[in-house]
Amino acid sequence: MASTPQIKACIFDMDGLLLDTETIYSEVTNKILEPFGKTFPIETKIKMMGRDVRTATDILLNDLQLPLTFDEYNNQANELKQVYFRRSELMPGVEKLLRHLAKHSIPIAVATSSSKAMLAIKSERHGSVFDLFAGKITCGDDPAVKHAKPAPDIFQIAMQRLDGSLQPEDCLVFEDAANGVEAANSARMSSIWVHDMRFAADALAPPSCHGATERVVSLLEFDPAKYGLPPF
């Protein structure tokens, strides 16, 4: 970093960042693929991460040449998600960081490609943590979000709803997906790429081209003081 941003607000992705849902997405996908004798390639998963449901599903159907329409696949997936997502766990370091920011009155928000209904299912076991956002949660099916990630819309809207006086340079975005980092860049916000190495196509590849302000492999590595935020 050439200069350290002085951050006033933090915006968080949800899937794979706050909640360990990416493993569940893979489980659901493999269950649907099983009758076709196929498994879910990591390369396809990486392309899908951070995308809205329609785009992600189209990538999957195209890559694996599945004989299913979007609606046929999505209906099966939604039935499984209703069950599986209820067991979603918090990712390491999430509760510590969110409670720390809330304690120091740092504005925080969620900006997720998930629908409002799916967010409710995924977060139902972690109400006390999600209550820290005080309703500042923007979902992918929000009518105000005209374009999905990697467009900047959802982060811009989340910022405006946090505080109308905030500017992009005041905001730090936390993302686990390349599409999310690209969206943060397009919004002209600083970003932390939390790179879950379970979903790395090549764990030995140099991570220098991600475009984020900083790359960590877990929120446990994040140092708020580096960004002008209260130290732990």
Side-chain angles (χ1 to χ4, degrees), residues 44-223:
T44 298
K45 181 173 182 64
I46 290 169
K47 286 194 284 184
M48 293 169 62
M49 287 172 65
R51 300 280 190 179
D52 62 283
V53 171
R54 182 79 201 211
T55 303
T57 302
D58 286 346
I59 290 170
L60 177 71
L61 297 179
N62 183 66
D63 276 15
L64 276 66
Q65 293 295 293
L66 292 176
L68 296 172
T69 65
F70 168 80
D71 287 337
E72 288 169 341
Y73 179 89
N74 202 42
N75 288 340
Q76 290 187 56
N78 280 338
E79 286 186 15
L80 294 170
K81 289 174 184 177
Q82 294 280 341
V83 177
Y84 290 17
F85 277 135
R86 295 182 192 280
R87 65 179 195 233
S88 299
E89 298 287 351
L90 293 172
M91 291 292 283
V94 165
E95 185 164 6
K96 176 185 176 182
L97 176 58
L98 293 181
R99 292 197 181 281
H100 173 75
L101 295 173
K103 176 184 176 182
H104 292 279
S105 300
I106 302 299
I108 56 175
V110 173
T112 175
S113 297
S114 283
S115 67
K116 187 175 181 179
M118 277 296 165
L119 179 141
I121 291 171
K122 294 170 183 176
S123 64
E124 69 177 12
R125 295 177 57 242
H126 308 289
S128 65
V129 172
F130 277 78
D131 285 348
L132 297 170
F133 292 103
K136 303 296 185 181
I137 297 176
T138 302
C139 294
D141 60 349
D142 190 307
V145 180
K146 303 302 182 186
H147 304 95
K149 300 174 188 177
D153 300 34
I154 197 165
F155 291 132
Q156 293 168 335
I157 293 163
M159 177 186 73
Q160 292 162 6
R161 290 175 174 173
L162 265 180
D163 185 336
S165 68
L166 287 170
Q167 298 299 312
E169 58 267 25
D170 299 326
C171 299
L172 182 62
V173 170
F174 293 80
E175 266 285 356
D176 70 305
N179 291 313
V181 171
E182 184 179 343
N185 290 342
S186 296
R188 297 183 294 110
M189 298 176 184
S190 299
S191 60
I192 304 296
W193 180 31
V194 184
H195 188 190
D196 190 333
M197 298 306 289
R198 295 175 300 174
F199 309 117
D202 183 355
L204 300 178
S208 58
C209 299
H210 50 75
T213 310
E214 183 181 1
R215 170 190 175 269
V216 297
V217 298
S218 167
L219 278 178
L220 294 170
E221 294 184 357
F222 175 67
D223 179 7

